[in-house]
Amino acid sequence: MERDDSFIPQYGHYENLITYKKAVCIYDISFYFAQNYFSRGDRTVDQMVQAARSGKQNIVEGCAASATSRETEIKLLNVAKASFKELKEDFEDYLRVRNLSRWTQGSEKFETTRKICAKNNDPAYYRSAIQLREPATIANIAIIMLEQEDYLLFKQIEATKKAFLEKGGIREEMTRARLKARTPARNGQ
């Protein structure tokens, strides 16, 4: 008899997700920024890098867990959102305490950057571009990307919730597979 493991769907292809691609860009920007614009020994360096890493890694872990637990997937995606919110606050703090301006929605800089960040999810592009920018510009770019990431993660969580409501979780998948496996046996009797 052939083995059928179809009740455990193949998920985890996080590399193709826009949320993951954008998270890599955010991590690269945050790492560069923290290393170059804070003093050695400043706890903010570790905090920012760890928040960026946590956001990215929780997307990876959530996708890996999605094969057997939509609940875990949703929880981990929410952890990613929370980590990115923390990181956004660090960039906002940087601007505020140094009396640097935060770009506002509708301003030319904000809108131009928003469009570029919405279309471009290549980490190499940002690693190159930020080296030519002032710290306040980099912080504003990061804030815009983090706002986009927050929205995209919200949409990903909503899609995961919808999939759960439509298809159920692993228990339902296992029950369907078991019933399907029994059907040929019943027809043969």
Side-chain angles (χ1 to χ4, degrees):
M1 182 173 169
E2 247 182 72
R3 185 175 165 171
D4 180 11
D5 292 328
S6 62
F7 65 85
I8 300 181
Q10 294 300 310
Y11 294 115
H13 300 289
Y14 61 88
E15 304 94 344
N16 300 324
L17 293 172
I18 293 173
T19 51
Y20 175 75
K21 291 176 183 180
K22 195 166 287 298
V24 173
C25 296
I26 290 167
Y27 177 85
D28 289 0
I29 291 169
S30 301
F31 184 87
Y32 175 85
F33 189 87
Q35 297 296 318
N36 287 283
Y37 300 111
F38 289 99
S39 303
R40 275 200 186 277
D42 187 334
R43 284 197 62 217
T44 308
V45 173
D46 290 338
Q47 293 290 330
M48 289 181 78
V49 172
Q50 285 306 313
R53 182 186 181 282
S54 175
K56 181 175 75 68
Q57 296 304 106
N58 276 289
I59 293 169
V60 172
E61 193 174 350
C63 288
S66 67
T68 56
S69 177
R70 294 223 188 263
E71 177 185 0
T72 301
E73 178 184 14
I74 290 168
K75 285 180 181 178
L76 290 168
L77 292 174
N78 270 308
V79 171
K81 274 177 64 72
S83 293
F84 286 136
K85 290 239 185 220
E86 176 187 344
L87 181 59
K88 180 181 169 223
E89 188 74 15
D90 285 332
F91 280 109
E92 290 172 339
D93 288 347
Y94 180 89
L95 294 173
R96 188 186 67 257
V97 300
R98 289 165 179 81
N99 292 317
L100 300 170
S101 65
R102 177 165 178 221
W103 301 341
T104 56
Q105 192 170 357
S107 71
E108 184 179 342
K109 287 180 180 180
F110 180 94
E111 295 302 328
T112 300
T113 303
R114 183 186 61 77
K115 288 175 186 170
I116 291 169
C117 292
K119 292 178 187 175
N120 193 330
N121 296 311
D122 177 13
Y125 170 81
Y126 292 101
R127 284 193 308 271
S128 174
I130 60 176
Q131 292 181 24
L132 307 172
R133 305 293 188 274
E134 295 293 320
T137 300
I138 298 168
N140 275 289
I141 291 168
I143 290 167
I144 290 168
M145 289 190 75
L146 286 158
E147 289 173 344
Q148 290 175 345
E149 181 75 347
D150 185 63
Y151 175 75
L152 291 169
L153 283 168
F154 168 77
K155 297 297 277 181
Q156 187 175 348
I157 291 166
E158 290 301 307
T160 302
K161 287 167 34 179
K162 182 179 178 187
F164 174 76
L165 292 174
E166 290 174 359
K167 299 175 186 171
I170 187 69
R171 288 189 180 139
E172 289 91 349
E173 293 288 338
M174 290 170 74
T175 299
R176 280 192 287 274
R178 181 73 175 132
L179 292 172
K180 181 180 173 185
R182 287 182 175 180
T183 302
R186 286 185 185 156
N187 293 339
Q189 291 179 353

